[in-house]
């Protein structure tokens, strides 16, 4: 089969297996993943309370993905996958060889999500020239007090300065790199949505207002915003359940496995 037809053919096969499983209620697995998430590391410099890594709820060993392991993964999956996310748990830019990874992905669209504390002028210029397609930077408040409610041990000014460094580097090198600011909407920061919209426009970034995952159920009322459209959960018999029109199925099990830093493959990002 001609290489250019491999990806769309594989997508049809994988898509058919998902639809067959959904309608029959029986697992039917065919094809290869359409995209993957590669965990460069599960170390992090922050202590976000609703993150498995930052909250210390994650008990598995900490480490960094071996470059040769990544090279093997890419070699095997290159004919099939459309893009790769270089993050899972942890802060990917803590990897001592971080800049190797975006540059070795070839024709696979590559995305990195970062907490924004390592976007110096030098790193920003290296990023926009690395071949990376998209950079997501988490900014969950528009002043230090609100920002650090969730991004504990984080520095608001460092992150804002890093975003500006990326914006300037994109202009300097006429880079097609897409810059996205991710704002986890919660009770503490929802009043600052107009401010983050204004900031995103100024730095020529897209903005994603994201509903917040809460892993400590006793803290639901601490984080859930008053704006219902940004609530991931709804009340049910005195508790909370996820708001989902299809709560008993997930396409990621077919299309988007996770490869952890030590080479384990899990079918779900919630595993």
């Amino acid at each position: 089969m001609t290489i250019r037809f491999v990806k769309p053919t594989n997508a049809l096969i994988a898509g058919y297996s998902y639809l067959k499983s959904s309608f029959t209620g029986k697992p039917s697995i065919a094809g290869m993943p359409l995209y993957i998430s590669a965990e460069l590391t599960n170390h992090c410099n922050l202590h976000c309370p609703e993150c498995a890594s930052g909250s210390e709820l994650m008990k598995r060993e900490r480490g960094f993905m071996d470059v040769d392991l990544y090279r093997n993964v890419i070699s095997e999956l290159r004919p099939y996958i459309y893009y790769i996310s270089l993050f899972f748990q942890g802060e990917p830019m803590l990897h001592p060889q971080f800049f190797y990874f975006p540059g070795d992905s070839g024709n696979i669209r590559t995305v990195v999500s970062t907490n924004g504390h390592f976007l110096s002028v030098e790193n920003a210029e290296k990023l926009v020239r690395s071949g990376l397609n998209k950079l997501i930077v988490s900014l969950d408040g528009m002043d230090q007090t609100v920002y650090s409610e969730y991004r504990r041990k984080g520095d608001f000014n460092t992150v804002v300065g890093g975003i500006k460094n990326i914006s300037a580097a994109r202009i300097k090198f006429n880079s097609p790199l897409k810059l996205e600011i991710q704002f986890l909407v919660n009770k503490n920061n929802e009043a600052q949505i107009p401010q983050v919209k204004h900031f995103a426009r100024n730095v020529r970034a897209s903005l994603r207002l994201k509903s917040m995952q809460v892993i400590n159920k006793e803290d639901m009322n601490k984080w859930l915003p008053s704006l219902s459209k940004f609530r991931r959960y709804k009340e049910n018999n005195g508790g909370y359940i996820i708001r989902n029109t299809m709560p008993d199925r997930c396409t990621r099990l077919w299309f988007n496995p996770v490869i952890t830093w030590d080479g384990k493959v899990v079918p779900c990002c919630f595993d």
Side-chain angles (χ1 to χ4, degrees), residues 18-252:
Y18 167 72
L19 291 174
K20 182 180 178 181
S21 300
S22 297
F23 285 114
T24 65
K26 298 179 181 180
S28 173
I29 312 301
M32 296 289 278
L34 305 189
Y35 47 101
I36 63 168
S37 298
E39 180 185 68
L40 301 192
T41 182
N42 54 355
H43 286 287
C44 192
N45 55 306
L46 302 185
H47 291 279
C48 306
E50 299 301 324
C51 167
S53 178
S55 66
E56 303 295 337
L57 285 174
M58 182 176 59
K59 301 304 180 184
R60 59 188 171 92
E61 185 180 355
R62 307 263 178 166
F64 300 95
M65 181 172 282
D66 183 76
V67 167
D68 287 335
L69 168 63
Y70 182 77
R71 185 181 292 119
N72 290 338
V73 169
I74 292 298
S75 177
E76 181 177 344
L77 294 179
R78 192 186 305 278
Y80 306 101
I81 61 175
Y82 286 94
Y83 71 87
I84 182 169
S85 300
L86 297 177
F87 59 94
F88 180 42
Q89 299 292 340
E91 166 53 49
M93 293 191 73
L94 281 174
H95 197 294
Q97 296 171 283
F98 168 77
F99 285 100
Y100 166 84
F101 294 91
D104 195 53
S105 299
N107 63 342
I108 304 171
R109 294 184 59 80
T110 311
V111 183
V112 165
S113 181
T114 175
N115 61 43
H117 284 79
F118 304 98
L119 301 176
S120 63
V121 172
E122 179 184 2
N123 283 347
E125 293 188 354
K126 289 173 71 174
L127 266 174
V128 301
R129 302 172 72 183
S130 68
L132 186 69
N133 296 101
K134 183 177 181 179
L135 181 69
I136 303 169
V137 184
S138 297
L139 181 65
D140 304 321
M142 289 308 295
D143 60 59
Q144 180 62 41
T145 300
V146 173
Y147 173 80
S148 59
E149 282 287 334
Y150 184 70
R151 298 289 169 180
R152 294 178 185 173
K153 291 199 172 182
D155 186 275
F156 170 75
N157 290 326
T158 296
V159 179
V160 167
I163 293 172
K164 291 179 178 178
N165 289 340
I166 291 289
S167 181
R170 288 198 305 167
I171 295 171
K172 179 178 179 179
F173 295 101
N174 193 28
S175 169
L177 173 70
K178 294 182 179 179
L179 174 61
E180 178 181 292
I181 294 172
Q182 180 176 276
F183 193 82
L184 290 180
V185 180
N186 60 64
K187 183 178 290 186
N188 301 296
N189 66 17
E190 59 184 325
Q192 295 185 335
I193 290 176
Q195 291 172 253
V196 75
K197 285 182 176 179
H198 178 74
F199 176 70
R201 286 194 296 269
N202 283 347
V203 295
R204 301 181 182 181
S206 62
L207 174 65
R208 184 184 181 194
L209 300 174
K210 187 178 179 181
S211 63
M212 182 173 161
Q213 174 189 342
V214 181
I215 58 178
N216 298 297
K217 303 306 179 186
E218 65 274 11
D219 290 335
M220 281 286 188
N221 290 325
K222 178 180 179 179
W223 298 111
L224 288 184
S226 60
L227 298 170
S228 61
K229 66 179 179 178
F230 295 120
R231 287 188 167 207
R232 185 176 291 201
Y233 309 91
K234 62 182 179 181
E235 293 187 49
N236 181 61
N237 296 325
Y240 290 91
I241 59 173
I242 194 165
R243 297 172 62 180
N244 192 336
T245 56
M246 300 174 67
D248 60 345
R249 68 196 67 186
C250 177
T251 58
R252 291 192 178 195

